[in-house]
PDB file of all heavy atoms in Angstrom:
ATOM      1  N   GLY A   6       0.770  -1.240   0.049  1.00 94.00           N
ATOM      2  CA  GLY A   6       0.041  -0.004  -0.026  1.00 94.00           C
ATOM      3  C   GLY A   6       0.849   1.242  -0.020  1.00 94.00           C
ATOM      4  O   GLY A   6       0.548   2.156  -0.776  1.00 94.00           O
ATOM      5  N   ARG A   7       1.891   1.335   0.842  1.00 95.00           N
ATOM      6  CA  ARG A   7       2.777   2.389   0.842  1.00 95.00           C
ATOM      7  C   ARG A   7       3.571   2.569  -0.495  1.00 95.00           C
ATOM      8  O   ARG A   7       3.733   3.662  -0.914  1.00 95.00           O
ATOM      9  CB  ARG A   7       3.738   2.246   2.021  1.00 95.00           C
ATOM     10  CG  ARG A   7       3.039   2.488   3.412  1.00 95.00           C
ATOM     11  CD  ARG A   7       3.947   2.343   4.600  1.00 95.00           C
ATOM     12  NE  ARG A   7       4.452   1.107   4.794  1.00 95.00           N
ATOM     13  CZ  ARG A   7       5.724   0.672   5.022  1.00 95.00           C
ATOM     14  NH1 ARG A   7       6.631   1.682   5.195  1.00 95.00           N
ATOM     15  NH2 ARG A   7       6.169  -0.492   5.167  1.00 95.00           N
ATOM     16  N   LEU A   8       3.899   1.438  -1.024  1.00 96.00           N
ATOM     17  CA  LEU A   8       4.725   1.546  -2.262  1.00 96.00           C
ATOM     18  C   LEU A   8       3.775   2.156  -3.397  1.00 96.00           C
ATOM     19  O   LEU A   8       4.229   3.062  -4.121  1.00 96.00           O
ATOM     20  CB  LEU A   8       5.077   0.108  -2.705  1.00 96.00           C
ATOM     21  CG  LEU A   8       5.766  -0.022  -4.047  1.00 96.00           C
ATOM     22  CD1 LEU A   8       7.150   0.656  -4.043  1.00 96.00           C
ATOM     23  CD2 LEU A   8       5.853  -1.407  -4.461  1.00 96.00           C
ATOM     24  N   LEU A   9       2.557   1.676  -3.376  1.00 97.00           N
ATOM     25  CA  LEU A   9       1.621   2.189  -4.457  1.00 97.00           C
ATOM     26  C   LEU A   9       1.254   3.658  -4.215  1.00 97.00           C
ATOM     27  O   LEU A   9       1.070   4.362  -5.170  1.00 97.00           O
ATOM     28  CB  LEU A   9       0.363   1.253  -4.451  1.00 97.00           C
ATOM     29  CG  LEU A   9       0.580  -0.094  -5.056  1.00 97.00           C
ATOM     30  CD1 LEU A   9      -0.742  -0.926  -4.910  1.00 97.00           C
ATOM     31  CD2 LEU A   9       0.971  -0.078  -6.449  1.00 97.00           C
ATOM     32  N   LYS A  10       1.090   4.076  -2.881  1.00 96.00           N
ATOM     33  CA  LYS A  10       0.829   5.472  -2.626  1.00 96.00           C
ATOM     34  C   LYS A  10       1.949   6.362  -3.219  1.00 96.00           C
ATOM     35  O   LYS A  10       1.710   7.354  -3.794  1.00 96.00           O
ATOM     36  CB  LYS A  10       0.604   5.727  -1.100  1.00 96.00           C
ATOM     37  CG  LYS A  10      -0.787   5.228  -0.780  1.00 96.00           C
ATOM     38  CD  LYS A  10      -0.943   5.369   0.782  1.00 96.00           C
ATOM     39  CE  LYS A  10      -2.278   4.843   1.245  1.00 96.00           C
ATOM     40  NZ  LYS A  10      -2.296   4.778   2.787  1.00 96.00           N
ATOM     41  N   ARG A  11       3.182   5.872  -2.896  1.00 96.00           N
ATOM     42  CA  ARG A  11       4.381   6.563  -3.344  1.00 96.00           C
ATOM     43  C   ARG A  11       4.529   6.685  -4.860  1.00 96.00           C
ATOM     44  O   ARG A  11       4.787   7.733  -5.452  1.00 96.00           O
ATOM     45  CB  ARG A  11       5.669   5.954  -2.739  1.00 96.00           C
ATOM     46  CG  ARG A  11       6.858   6.664  -3.211  1.00 96.00           C
ATOM     47  CD  ARG A  11       7.200   7.957  -2.414  1.00 96.00           C
ATOM     48  NE  ARG A  11       8.521   8.322  -2.819  1.00 96.00           N
ATOM     49  CZ  ARG A  11       8.744   9.368  -3.750  1.00 96.00           C
ATOM     50  NH1 ARG A  11       7.750  10.049  -4.264  1.00 96.00           N
ATOM     51  NH2 ARG A  11       9.908   9.775  -3.981  1.00 96.00           N
ATOM     52  N   ALA A  12       4.137   5.563  -5.486  1.00 97.00           N
ATOM     53  CA  ALA A  12       4.200   5.499  -6.977  1.00 97.00           C
ATOM     54  C   ALA A  12       3.199   6.450  -7.541  1.00 97.00           C
ATOM     55  O   ALA A  12       3.391   7.068  -8.520  1.00 97.00           O
ATOM     56  CB  ALA A  12       4.036   4.056  -7.498  1.00 97.00           C
ATOM     57  N   ALA A  13       2.031   6.491  -6.887  1.00 96.00           N
ATOM     58  CA  ALA A  13       0.872   7.403  -7.344  1.00 96.00           C
ATOM     59  C   ALA A  13       1.328   8.809  -7.235  1.00 96.00           C
ATOM     60  O   ALA A  13       1.050   9.704  -8.125  1.00 96.00           O
ATOM     61  CB  ALA A  13      -0.378   7.135  -6.601  1.00 96.00           C
ATOM     62  N   GLU A  14       1.992   9.202  -6.191  1.00 96.00           N
ATOM     63  CA  GLU A  14       2.577  10.569  -6.035  1.00 96.00           C
ATOM     64  C   GLU A  14       3.527  10.889  -7.129  1.00 96.00           C
ATOM     65  O   GLU A  14       3.472  11.993  -7.561  1.00 96.00           O
ATOM     66  CB  GLU A  14       3.230  10.690  -4.590  1.00 96.00           C
ATOM     67  CG  GLU A  14       2.417  10.715  -3.439  1.00 96.00           C
ATOM     68  CD  GLU A  14       3.122  10.635  -2.168  1.00 96.00           C
ATOM     69  OE1 GLU A  14       4.398  10.757  -2.267  1.00 96.00           O
ATOM     70  OE2 GLU A  14       2.509  10.500  -1.115  1.00 96.00           O
ATOM     71  N   ILE A  15       4.471   9.944  -7.413  1.00 96.00           N
ATOM     72  CA  ILE A  15       5.363  10.231  -8.488  1.00 96.00           C
ATOM     73  C   ILE A  15       4.685  10.354  -9.862  1.00 96.00           C
ATOM     74  O   ILE A  15       5.016  11.263 -10.586  1.00 96.00           O
ATOM     75  CB  ILE A  15       6.388   9.059  -8.608  1.00 96.00           C
ATOM     76  CG1 ILE A  15       7.217   9.023  -7.329  1.00 96.00           C
ATOM     77  CG2 ILE A  15       7.207   9.041  -9.690  1.00 96.00           C
ATOM     78  CD1 ILE A  15       8.095   7.738  -7.015  1.00 96.00           C
ATOM     79  N   CYS A  16       3.685   9.590 -10.098  1.00 96.00           N
ATOM     80  CA  CYS A  16       2.967   9.655 -11.367  1.00 96.00           C
ATOM     81  C   CYS A  16       2.019  10.923 -11.543  1.00 96.00           C
ATOM     82  O   CYS A  16       1.589  11.276 -12.565  1.00 96.00           O
ATOM     83  CB  CYS A  16       2.164   8.330 -11.622  1.00 96.00           C
ATOM     84  SG  CYS A  16       3.165   6.953 -11.965  1.00 96.00           S
ATOM     85  N   GLY A  17       1.725  11.433 -10.325  1.00 95.00           N
ATOM     86  CA  GLY A  17       0.866  12.672 -10.389  1.00 95.00           C
ATOM     87  C   GLY A  17      -0.522  12.378  -9.644  1.00 95.00           C
ATOM     88  O   GLY A  17      -1.072  13.177  -9.006  1.00 95.00           O
ATOM     89  N   ASN A  18      -0.953  11.210  -9.840  1.00 96.00           N
ATOM     90  CA  ASN A  18      -2.315  10.862  -9.222  1.00 96.00           C
ATOM     91  C   ASN A  18      -2.595   9.356  -9.476  1.00 96.00           C
ATOM     92  O   ASN A  18      -1.964   8.717 -10.289  1.00 96.00           O
ATOM     93  CB  ASN A  18      -3.469  11.683  -9.823  1.00 96.00           C
ATOM     94  CG  ASN A  18      -3.644  11.600 -11.250  1.00 96.00           C
ATOM     95  OD1 ASN A  18      -3.882  10.426 -11.706  1.00 96.00           O
ATOM     96  ND2 ASN A  18      -3.470  12.673 -11.977  1.00 96.00           N
ATOM     97  N   PRO A  19      -3.473   8.708  -8.641  1.00 96.00           N
ATOM     98  CA  PRO A  19      -3.756   7.338  -8.851  1.00 96.00           C
ATOM     99  C   PRO A  19      -4.194   6.869 -10.367  1.00 96.00           C
ATOM    100  O   PRO A  19      -3.852   5.784 -10.737  1.00 96.00           O
ATOM    101  CB  PRO A  19      -4.983   7.130  -7.858  1.00 96.00           C
ATOM    102  CG  PRO A  19      -4.801   8.181  -6.792  1.00 96.00           C
ATOM    103  CD  PRO A  19      -4.324   9.275  -7.610  1.00 96.00           C
ATOM    104  N   GLY A  20      -4.942   7.794 -11.023  1.00 96.00           N
ATOM    105  CA  GLY A  20      -5.374   7.503 -12.340  1.00 96.00           C
ATOM    106  C   GLY A  20      -4.203   7.296 -13.303  1.00 96.00           C
ATOM    107  O   GLY A  20      -4.133   6.406 -14.159  1.00 96.00           O
ATOM    108  N   ALA A  21      -3.243   8.224 -13.052  1.00 96.00           N
ATOM    109  CA  ALA A  21      -2.033   8.136 -13.907  1.00 96.00           C
ATOM    110  C   ALA A  21      -1.244   6.825 -13.596  1.00 96.00           C
ATOM    111  O   ALA A  21      -0.629   6.248 -14.492  1.00 96.00           O
ATOM    112  CB  ALA A  21      -1.110   9.421 -13.749  1.00 96.00           C
ATOM    113  N   LEU A  22      -1.176   6.527 -12.329  1.00 97.00           N
ATOM    114  CA  LEU A  22      -0.433   5.259 -12.011  1.00 97.00           C
ATOM    115  C   LEU A  22      -1.201   3.981 -12.689  1.00 97.00           C
ATOM    116  O   LEU A  22      -0.585   3.137 -13.090  1.00 97.00           O
ATOM    117  CB  LEU A  22      -0.430   5.009 -10.486  1.00 97.00           C
ATOM    118  CG  LEU A  22       0.214   3.760 -10.014  1.00 97.00           C
ATOM    119  CD1 LEU A  22       1.551   3.646 -10.485  1.00 97.00           C
ATOM    120  CD2 LEU A  22       0.178   3.741  -8.477  1.00 97.00           C
ATOM    121  N   CYS A  23      -2.511   3.979 -12.570  1.00 97.00           N
ATOM    122  CA  CYS A  23      -3.375   2.985 -13.275  1.00 97.00           C
ATOM    123  C   CYS A  23      -2.956   2.808 -14.705  1.00 97.00           C
ATOM    124  O   CYS A  23      -2.727   1.795 -15.129  1.00 97.00           O
ATOM    125  CB  CYS A  23      -4.846   3.188 -13.011  1.00 97.00           C
ATOM    126  SG  CYS A  23      -5.442   2.942 -11.333  1.00 97.00           S
ATOM    127  N   SER A  24      -2.842   3.973 -15.302  1.00 97.00           N
ATOM    128  CA  SER A  24      -2.506   3.944 -16.730  1.00 97.00           C
ATOM    129  C   SER A  24      -1.148   3.360 -17.053  1.00 97.00           C
ATOM    130  O   SER A  24      -0.950   2.522 -17.870  1.00 97.00           O
ATOM    131  CB  SER A  24      -2.605   5.382 -17.343  1.00 97.00           C
ATOM    132  OG  SER A  24      -3.886   5.773 -17.375  1.00 97.00           O
ATOM    133  N   ARG A  25      -0.199   3.726 -16.106  1.00 96.00           N
ATOM    134  CA  ARG A  25       1.100   3.248 -16.387  1.00 96.00           C
ATOM    135  C   ARG A  25       1.256   1.854 -16.030  1.00 96.00           C
ATOM    136  O   ARG A  25       2.129   1.162 -16.654  1.00 96.00           O
ATOM    137  CB  ARG A  25       2.076   4.148 -15.333  1.00 96.00           C
ATOM    138  CG  ARG A  25       3.499   3.872 -15.607  1.00 96.00           C
ATOM    139  CD  ARG A  25       4.338   5.077 -15.399  1.00 96.00           C
ATOM    140  NE  ARG A  25       5.714   4.770 -15.487  1.00 96.00           N
ATOM    141  CZ  ARG A  25       6.780   5.360 -14.904  1.00 96.00           C
ATOM    142  NH1 ARG A  25       6.482   6.583 -14.293  1.00 96.00           N
ATOM    143  NH2 ARG A  25       7.963   5.028 -15.043  1.00 96.00           N
ATOM    144  N   LEU A  26       0.579   1.401 -15.030  1.00 97.00           N
ATOM    145  CA  LEU A  26       0.641  -0.107 -14.700  1.00 97.00           C
ATOM    146  C   LEU A  26      -0.370  -0.964 -15.433  1.00 97.00           C
ATOM    147  O   LEU A  26      -0.327  -2.155 -15.364  1.00 97.00           O
ATOM    148  CB  LEU A  26       0.299  -0.214 -13.110  1.00 97.00           C
ATOM    149  CG  LEU A  26       1.281   0.362 -12.267  1.00 97.00           C
ATOM    150  CD1 LEU A  26       0.681   0.297 -10.794  1.00 97.00           C
ATOM    151  CD2 LEU A  26       2.647  -0.196 -12.390  1.00 97.00           C
ATOM    152  N   HIS A  27      -1.250  -0.328 -16.316  1.00 97.00           N
ATOM    153  CA  HIS A  27      -2.246  -1.036 -17.054  1.00 97.00           C
ATOM    154  C   HIS A  27      -3.158  -1.835 -16.093  1.00 97.00           C
ATOM    155  O   HIS A  27      -3.423  -3.051 -16.367  1.00 97.00           O
ATOM    156  CB  HIS A  27      -1.622  -1.916 -18.102  1.00 97.00           C
ATOM    157  CG  HIS A  27      -0.662  -1.183 -18.887  1.00 97.00           C
ATOM    158  ND1 HIS A  27      -0.944  -0.333 -19.917  1.00 97.00           N
ATOM    159  CD2 HIS A  27       0.759  -1.337 -19.061  1.00 97.00           C
ATOM    160  CE1 HIS A  27       0.063   0.144 -20.468  1.00 97.00           C
ATOM    161  NE2 HIS A  27       1.179  -0.447 -19.974  1.00 97.00           N
ATOM    162  N   VAL A  28      -3.694  -1.181 -15.031  1.00 97.00           N
ATOM    163  CA  VAL A  28      -4.664  -1.945 -14.168  1.00 97.00           C
ATOM    164  C   VAL A  28      -5.782  -0.934 -13.930  1.00 97.00           C
ATOM    165  O   VAL A  28      -5.749   0.185 -14.195  1.00 97.00           O
ATOM    166  CB  VAL A  28      -3.980  -2.097 -12.758  1.00 97.00           C
ATOM    167  CG1 VAL A  28      -2.706  -3.104 -12.964  1.00 97.00           C
ATOM    168  CG2 VAL A  28      -3.463  -0.858 -11.997  1.00 97.00           C
ATOM    169  N   SER A  29      -6.896  -1.511 -13.396  1.00 97.00           N
ATOM    170  CA  SER A  29      -8.116  -0.699 -13.132  1.00 97.00           C
ATOM    171  C   SER A  29      -7.990   0.048 -11.806  1.00 97.00           C
ATOM    172  O   SER A  29      -7.198  -0.397 -10.867  1.00 97.00           O
ATOM    173  CB  SER A  29      -9.317  -1.601 -13.035  1.00 97.00           C
ATOM    174  OG  SER A  29      -9.277  -2.398 -11.825  1.00 97.00           O
ATOM    175  N   GLU A  30      -8.657   1.206 -11.673  1.00 96.00           N
ATOM    176  CA  GLU A  30      -8.684   1.879 -10.453  1.00 96.00           C
ATOM    177  C   GLU A  30      -9.229   1.007  -9.271  1.00 96.00           C
ATOM    178  O   GLU A  30      -8.754   1.185  -8.164  1.00 96.00           O
ATOM    179  CB  GLU A  30      -9.335   3.185 -10.582  1.00 96.00           C
ATOM    180  CG  GLU A  30      -8.664   4.297 -11.528  1.00 96.00           C
ATOM    181  CD  GLU A  30      -9.191   5.614 -11.417  1.00 96.00           C
ATOM    182  OE1 GLU A  30      -9.713   5.998 -10.429  1.00 96.00           O
ATOM    183  OE2 GLU A  30      -9.193   6.316 -12.503  1.00 96.00           O
ATOM    184  N   HIS A  31     -10.185   0.246  -9.585  1.00 97.00           N
ATOM    185  CA  HIS A  31     -10.799  -0.598  -8.581  1.00 97.00           C
ATOM    186  C   HIS A  31      -9.638  -1.516  -7.925  1.00 97.00           C
ATOM    187  O   HIS A  31      -9.560  -1.723  -6.799  1.00 97.00           O
ATOM    188  CB  HIS A  31     -11.870  -1.484  -9.116  1.00 97.00           C
ATOM    189  CG  HIS A  31     -12.460  -2.365  -8.210  1.00 97.00           C
ATOM    190  ND1 HIS A  31     -13.234  -2.088  -7.073  1.00 97.00           N
ATOM    191  CD2 HIS A  31     -12.319  -3.751  -8.167  1.00 97.00           C
ATOM    192  CE1 HIS A  31     -13.567  -3.120  -6.338  1.00 97.00           C
ATOM    193  NE2 HIS A  31     -13.107  -4.140  -7.003  1.00 97.00           N
ATOM    194  N   SER A  32      -8.941  -2.194  -8.816  1.00 97.00           N
ATOM    195  CA  SER A  32      -7.860  -3.014  -8.420  1.00 97.00           C
ATOM    196  C   SER A  32      -6.840  -2.252  -7.581  1.00 97.00           C
ATOM    197  O   SER A  32      -6.289  -2.687  -6.547  1.00 97.00           O
ATOM    198  CB  SER A  32      -7.155  -3.729  -9.641  1.00 97.00           C
ATOM    199  OG  SER A  32      -7.990  -4.569 -10.214  1.00 97.00           O
ATOM    200  N   LEU A  33      -6.393  -1.018  -8.122  1.00 97.00           N
ATOM    201  CA  LEU A  33      -5.471  -0.231  -7.403  1.00 97.00           C
ATOM    202  C   LEU A  33      -5.932   0.057  -5.852  1.00 97.00           C
ATOM    203  O   LEU A  33      -5.209  -0.042  -4.987  1.00 97.00           O
ATOM    204  CB  LEU A  33      -5.126   1.053  -8.142  1.00 97.00           C
ATOM    205  CG  LEU A  33      -4.091   1.905  -7.479  1.00 97.00           C
ATOM    206  CD1 LEU A  33      -2.753   1.214  -7.510  1.00 97.00           C
ATOM    207  CD2 LEU A  33      -4.019   3.246  -8.255  1.00 97.00           C
ATOM    208  N   ARG A  34      -7.214   0.398  -5.827  1.00 96.00           N
ATOM    209  CA  ARG A  34      -7.687   0.751  -4.454  1.00 96.00           C
ATOM    210  C   ARG A  34      -7.724  -0.385  -3.506  1.00 96.00           C
ATOM    211  O   ARG A  34      -7.376  -0.329  -2.406  1.00 96.00           O
ATOM    212  CB  ARG A  34      -9.117   1.326  -4.704  1.00 96.00           C
ATOM    213  CG  ARG A  34      -9.865   1.590  -3.399  1.00 96.00           C
ATOM    214  CD  ARG A  34      -9.234   2.595  -2.489  1.00 96.00           C
ATOM    215  NE  ARG A  34      -8.673   3.794  -3.045  1.00 96.00           N
ATOM    216  CZ  ARG A  34      -7.650   4.475  -2.551  1.00 96.00           C
ATOM    217  NH1 ARG A  34      -7.197   4.134  -1.334  1.00 96.00           N
ATOM    218  NH2 ARG A  34      -7.121   5.381  -3.041  1.00 96.00           N
ATOM    219  N   LEU A  35      -8.039  -1.627  -4.109  1.00 96.00           N
ATOM    220  CA  LEU A  35      -7.971  -2.915  -3.262  1.00 96.00           C
ATOM    221  C   LEU A  35      -6.541  -3.055  -2.715  1.00 96.00           C
ATOM    222  O   LEU A  35      -6.388  -3.413  -1.596  1.00 96.00           O
ATOM    223  CB  LEU A  35      -8.436  -4.021  -4.034  1.00 96.00           C
ATOM    224  CG  LEU A  35      -9.981  -4.156  -4.354  1.00 96.00           C
ATOM    225  CD1 LEU A  35     -10.280  -5.343  -5.267  1.00 96.00           C
ATOM    226  CD2 LEU A  35     -10.735  -4.318  -3.019  1.00 96.00           C
ATOM    227  N   TRP A  36      -5.559  -2.991  -3.635  1.00 96.00           N
ATOM    228  CA  TRP A  36      -4.210  -3.124  -3.323  1.00 96.00           C
ATOM    229  C   TRP A  36      -3.743  -2.117  -2.252  1.00 96.00           C
ATOM    230  O   TRP A  36      -3.028  -2.408  -1.301  1.00 96.00           O
ATOM    231  CB  TRP A  36      -3.292  -3.163  -4.424  1.00 96.00           C
ATOM    232  CG  TRP A  36      -3.559  -4.255  -5.431  1.00 96.00           C
ATOM    233  CD1 TRP A  36      -4.059  -5.566  -5.191  1.00 96.00           C
ATOM    234  CD2 TRP A  36      -3.531  -4.186  -6.940  1.00 96.00           C
ATOM    235  NE1 TRP A  36      -4.256  -6.219  -6.409  1.00 96.00           N
ATOM    236  CE2 TRP A  36      -3.971  -5.439  -7.443  1.00 96.00           C
ATOM    237  CE3 TRP A  36      -3.077  -3.225  -7.835  1.00 96.00           C
ATOM    238  CZ2 TRP A  36      -3.885  -5.781  -8.797  1.00 96.00           C
ATOM    239  CZ3 TRP A  36      -3.066  -3.490  -9.118  1.00 96.00           C
ATOM    240  CH2 TRP A  36      -3.421  -4.755  -9.619  1.00 96.00           C
ATOM    241  N   ILE A  37      -4.010  -0.907  -2.551  1.00 95.00           N
ATOM    242  CA  ILE A  37      -3.650   0.154  -1.568  1.00 95.00           C
ATOM    243  C   ILE A  37      -4.228  -0.026  -0.169  1.00 95.00           C
ATOM    244  O   ILE A  37      -3.538   0.142   0.825  1.00 95.00           O
ATOM    245  CB  ILE A  37      -3.969   1.540  -2.160  1.00 95.00           C
ATOM    246  CG1 ILE A  37      -3.061   1.977  -3.297  1.00 95.00           C
ATOM    247  CG2 ILE A  37      -3.932   2.727  -1.006  1.00 95.00           C
ATOM    248  CD1 ILE A  37      -3.454   3.143  -3.996  1.00 95.00           C
ATOM    249  N   ASP A  38      -5.496  -0.409  -0.159  1.00 94.00           N
ATOM    250  CA  ASP A  38      -6.118  -0.640   1.158  1.00 94.00           C
ATOM    251  C   ASP A  38      -5.743  -1.938   1.818  1.00 94.00           C
ATOM    252  O   ASP A  38      -6.322  -2.280   2.868  1.00 94.00           O
ATOM    253  CB  ASP A  38      -7.697  -0.667   0.852  1.00 94.00           C
ATOM    254  CG  ASP A  38      -8.201   0.711   0.566  1.00 94.00           C
ATOM    255  OD1 ASP A  38      -7.491   1.818   0.738  1.00 94.00           O
ATOM    256  OD2 ASP A  38      -9.371   0.830   0.047  1.00 94.00           O
ATOM    257  N   GLY A  39      -5.016  -2.738   1.113  1.00 93.00           N
ATOM    258  CA  GLY A  39      -4.462  -3.998   1.745  1.00 93.00           C
ATOM    259  C   GLY A  39      -5.563  -5.092   1.670  1.00 93.00           C
ATOM    260  O   GLY A  39      -5.498  -6.049   2.531  1.00 93.00           O
ATOM    261  N   LYS A  40      -6.571  -4.989   0.732  1.00 94.00           N
ATOM    262  CA  LYS A  40      -7.596  -5.971   0.707  1.00 94.00           C
ATOM    263  C   LYS A  40      -7.320  -7.041  -0.246  1.00 94.00           C
ATOM    264  O   LYS A  40      -8.103  -8.065  -0.363  1.00 94.00           O
ATOM    265  CB  LYS A  40      -8.940  -5.309   0.380  1.00 94.00           C
ATOM    266  CG  LYS A  40      -9.368  -4.381   1.494  1.00 94.00           C
ATOM    267  CD  LYS A  40     -10.741  -3.667   1.210  1.00 94.00           C
ATOM    268  CE  LYS A  40     -11.074  -2.691   2.375  1.00 94.00           C
ATOM    269  NZ  LYS A  40     -12.160  -2.037   1.978  1.00 94.00           N
ATOM    270  N   ALA A  41      -6.200  -6.930  -1.076  1.00 94.00           N
ATOM    271  CA  ALA A  41      -5.844  -8.022  -1.938  1.00 94.00           C
ATOM    272  C   ALA A  41      -4.319  -7.935  -2.159  1.00 94.00           C
ATOM    273  O   ALA A  41      -3.708  -6.839  -1.934  1.00 94.00           O
ATOM    274  CB  ALA A  41      -6.630  -7.759  -3.417  1.00 94.00           C
ATOM    275  N   ARG A  42      -3.772  -9.057  -2.469  1.00 94.00           N
ATOM    276  CA  ARG A  42      -2.282  -9.135  -2.682  1.00 94.00           C
ATOM    277  C   ARG A  42      -2.004  -8.554  -4.131  1.00 94.00           C
ATOM    278  O   ARG A  42      -2.635  -9.012  -5.145  1.00 94.00           O
ATOM    279  CB  ARG A  42      -1.814 -10.524  -2.509  1.00 94.00           C
ATOM    280  CG  ARG A  42      -0.274 -10.598  -2.522  1.00 94.00           C
ATOM    281  CD  ARG A  42       0.135 -11.893  -2.135  1.00 94.00           C
ATOM    282  NE  ARG A  42      -0.055 -12.146  -0.707  1.00 94.00           N
ATOM    283  CZ  ARG A  42       0.713 -11.787   0.345  1.00 94.00           C
ATOM    284  NH1 ARG A  42       1.750 -10.935   0.131  1.00 94.00           N
ATOM    285  NH2 ARG A  42       0.315 -12.013   1.532  1.00 94.00           N
ATOM    286  N   LEU A  43      -0.985  -7.853  -4.047  1.00 93.00           N
ATOM    287  CA  LEU A  43      -0.464  -7.306  -5.536  1.00 93.00           C
ATOM    288  C   LEU A  43       0.196  -8.324  -6.260  1.00 93.00           C
ATOM    289  O   LEU A  43       1.079  -9.033  -5.762  1.00 93.00           O
ATOM    290  CB  LEU A  43       0.574  -6.195  -4.995  1.00 93.00           C
ATOM    291  CG  LEU A  43       1.018  -5.225  -6.098  1.00 93.00           C
ATOM    292  CD1 LEU A  43      -0.135  -4.350  -6.684  1.00 93.00           C
ATOM    293  CD2 LEU A  43       1.937  -4.286  -5.441  1.00 93.00           C
ATOM    294  N   PRO A  44      -0.252  -8.443  -7.573  1.00 95.00           N
ATOM    295  CA  PRO A  44       0.495  -9.437  -8.504  1.00 95.00           C
ATOM    296  C   PRO A  44       1.943  -9.035  -8.516  1.00 95.00           C
ATOM    297  O   PRO A  44       2.375  -7.835  -8.541  1.00 95.00           O
ATOM    298  CB  PRO A  44      -0.221  -9.306  -9.862  1.00 95.00           C
ATOM    299  CG  PRO A  44      -1.505  -8.724  -9.523  1.00 95.00           C
ATOM    300  CD  PRO A  44      -1.286  -7.788  -8.264  1.00 95.00           C
ATOM    301  N   GLU A  45       2.865 -10.103  -8.677  1.00 95.00           N
ATOM    302  CA  GLU A  45       4.195  -9.809  -8.659  1.00 95.00           C
ATOM    303  C   GLU A  45       4.772  -8.797  -9.747  1.00 95.00           C
ATOM    304  O   GLU A  45       5.452  -7.954  -9.502  1.00 95.00           O
ATOM    305  CB  GLU A  45       4.952 -11.087  -8.861  1.00 95.00           C
ATOM    306  CG  GLU A  45       6.523 -10.985  -8.837  1.00 95.00           C
ATOM    307  CD  GLU A  45       7.228 -12.347  -8.971  1.00 95.00           C
ATOM    308  OE1 GLU A  45       6.607 -13.349  -8.838  1.00 95.00           O
ATOM    309  OE2 GLU A  45       8.515 -12.239  -9.131  1.00 95.00           O
TER     310      GLU A  45
END
């Protein structure tokens, strides 16, 4: 969660991080909140 929050700050916002990682915002939120394990 901390890693993804920092990456989102670097990218500018969570939406930009989603685009860069090619993932949905829903998945990103689950990972940041610690509700699902991040794929390797």
Side-chain angles (χ1 to χ4, degrees):
R7 289 183 290 137
L8 176 71
L9 290 171
K10 286 178 186 176
R11 177 76 173 102
E14 289 174 6
I15 293 166
C16 290
N18 59 58
L22 177 60
C23 288
S24 294
R25 188 148 172 201
L26 296 176
H27 308 289
V28 300
S29 70
E30 288 191 36
H31 175 72
S32 293
L33 182 66
R34 179 55 41 206
L35 289 174
W36 298 327
I37 287 175
D38 292 342
K40 295 180 180 176
R42 186 169 295 276
L43 192 59
E45 184 178 347

